[in-house]
Amino acid sequence: MQKYSIVITAGDPAGIGYEEACKFFLDEESKKFNAALIGHKWIVEKTYKDILKKDIPNHLEVLEPDNNVFDYEYGRISAECGKAAISYIDFAVKGALEGMFDAVVTCPINKKSIKEAGYNFPGHTEYLAYLSNIDNQSMMLAGKYVKTILATTHYPVKEIAKHINEKTVLTAIENAHKAGRYFGTLTPKIAVCGLNPHAGDNGALGSEEQEFISPAVLKAQKNGINAHGPFPADTIFTKAKEWDFIIAMYHDQGMIPVKMDAFGEAVNITLNLPFIRTSVDHGTAFDIAGKGVCSYSSLIKAVQMAKNMVEYDKSIRSI
């Protein structure tokens, strides 16, 4: 197999992944990335012919995990689409682990479709970690100015507090520190949010800051990590430009500021995998799938981010 710097997985065929990927390869900018698309050639051909009304670009290389043909309907959950989306991820991870791809960029999958296909994972992040045989990954979302890393990911709000402990917070801090090499610094400046309003207000509004978050920050500092906090989450994001990374305690605490900062152009990144992985910041968008109206701006940002991370990492390795 030919080596590519970046591979893009097409995501759920019933969503907008194929369309945004095909639009990306129509853009002249796509030629500079040494990128290929992992998906089914017959769906790529269908997308260009029926939706985009364009010829397939000569520089587009489609890597197929298999040549299965199946029925699907835009905007509809199905096990077949779930299986296809998973097969693209499997192919990408195998190639990345074998050194054939420098980075993997993912288009969206549908959680219900992959569950119907028999894969009981809440999303890309957890499945990529499973394939990589790790359990200490972190989810990051990067906007124009805000780069936030989550201590916890997909939990109902009522269950968040019981998943906050010194280990989860310290893991997020350590992964942020290690991620610095992909963003141009080996000593990133890291801010850590509190869980409760006003970061617990010295225990008056909750004890998690005193019991778990502060000890994690102190342990990180003792290990030479430039971490600080916990800070009230409602103010620290207003100073995002002063920090390389901000650690959020739960999903919406971290995601809302990033999407306010760069909605539609933010990039999802999984930290601590044995390869670089970025992703678009949106879902399958079943409501507009197949209509030819989706934007590919987030995919451009994800591919550019992957390229930058690859280049920063290579420059660090050469020192």
Side-chain angles (χ1 to χ4, degrees):
M1 180 172 28
Q2 179 180 339
K3 179 176 172 60
Y4 292 93
S5 179
I6 295 169
V7 287
I8 301 169
T9 59
D12 191 301
I16 63 171
Y18 270 96
E19 181 184 331
E20 64 180 334
C22 288
K23 285 180 175 179
F24 168 79
F25 282 101
L26 285 174
D27 193 315
E28 283 295 308
E29 285 288 293
S30 66
K31 294 179 180 179
K32 72 180 185 182
F33 292 109
N34 185 26
L37 177 64
I38 298 176
H40 284 95
K41 292 179 181 178
W42 65 272
I43 302 181
V44 170
E45 292 168 355
K46 181 177 184 293
T47 302
Y48 278 110
K49 179 182 177 181
D50 297 344
I51 299 177
L52 302 182
K53 314 296 184 185
K54 300 280 187 179
D55 293 330
I56 299 175
N58 291 331
H59 67 283
L60 170 55
E61 294 290 339
V62 181
L63 309 178
E64 286 190 299
D66 56 57
N67 59 1
N68 292 342
V69 176
F70 51 89
D71 292 325
Y72 71 95
E73 179 182 335
Y74 290 115
R76 185 173 65 85
I77 293 166
S78 77
E80 288 292 345
C81 285
K83 289 177 185 176
I86 289 292
S87 73
Y88 308 154
I89 300 168
D90 290 345
F91 189 96
V93 171
K94 184 175 185 294
L97 293 177
E98 292 175 352
M100 297 307 299
F101 314 137
D102 292 324
V104 175
V105 178
T106 59
C107 288
I109 61 175
N110 183 277
K111 295 177 177 62
K112 288 187 178 179
S113 289
I114 65 169
K115 282 192 175 182
E116 289 203 2
Y119 296 86
N120 191 29
F121 293 88
H124 259 121
T125 301
E126 294 81 4
Y127 187 59
L128 289 164
Y130 165 76
L131 292 178
S132 303
N133 196 31
I134 64 169
D135 61 2
N136 59 344
Q137 75 283 354
S138 292
M139 179 178 173
M140 170 179 168
L141 206 68
K144 296 175 184 176
Y145 304 112
V146 182
K147 292 182 179 69
T148 189
I149 295 160
L150 304 182
T152 65
T153 52
H154 300 106
Y155 294 114
V157 172
K158 67 180 180 180
E159 296 181 10
I160 291 170
K162 68 183 181 183
H163 290 283
I164 298 292
N165 55 56
E166 187 175 324
K167 181 180 178 181
T168 57
V169 177
L170 185 59
T171 294
I173 296 172
E174 290 175 339
N175 285 344
H177 177 73
K178 288 185 285 186
R181 67 181 297 116
Y182 301 114
F183 295 91
T185 176
L186 291 176
T187 56
K189 189 178 179 184
I190 303 165
V192 181
C193 292
L195 172 65
N196 299 295
H198 307 294
D201 202 6
N202 295 314
L205 299 174
S207 62
E208 286 81 6
E209 286 78 12
Q210 294 170 313
E211 291 183 29
F212 310 121
I213 303 174
S214 289
V217 172
L218 290 173
K219 184 172 287 187
Q221 291 173 343
K222 289 178 181 178
N223 291 334
I225 297 175
N226 190 13
H228 305 270
F231 299 106
D234 62 345
T235 56
I236 193 61
F237 284 102
T238 67
K239 303 174 182 177
K241 292 182 183 179
E242 300 175 15
W243 302 91
D244 293 299
F245 305 111
I246 298 177
I247 308 296
M249 291 301 106
Y250 59 94
H251 186 278
D252 285 11
Q253 186 187 66
M255 296 297 99
I256 291 172
V258 178
K259 295 193 176 185
M260 289 290 289
D261 173 40
F263 186 72
E265 295 189 346
V267 179
N268 189 334
I269 303 163
T270 305
L271 301 181
N272 207 41
L273 293 175
F275 52 88
I276 293 169
R277 180 262 177 159
T278 69
S279 180
V280 295
D281 73 338
H282 58 77
T284 48
F286 276 177
D287 57 324
I288 61 170
K291 297 180 180 179
V293 299
C294 81
S295 169
Y296 65 105
S297 61
S298 184
L299 181 58
I300 291 177
K301 295 293 184 182
V303 173
Q304 184 64 60
M305 180 73 76
K307 181 176 184 289
N308 292 345
M309 291 173 70
V310 169
E311 290 174 350
Y312 275 128
D313 184 50
K314 287 182 177 179
S315 69
I316 291 294
R317 291 176 188 272
S318 66
I319 295 175

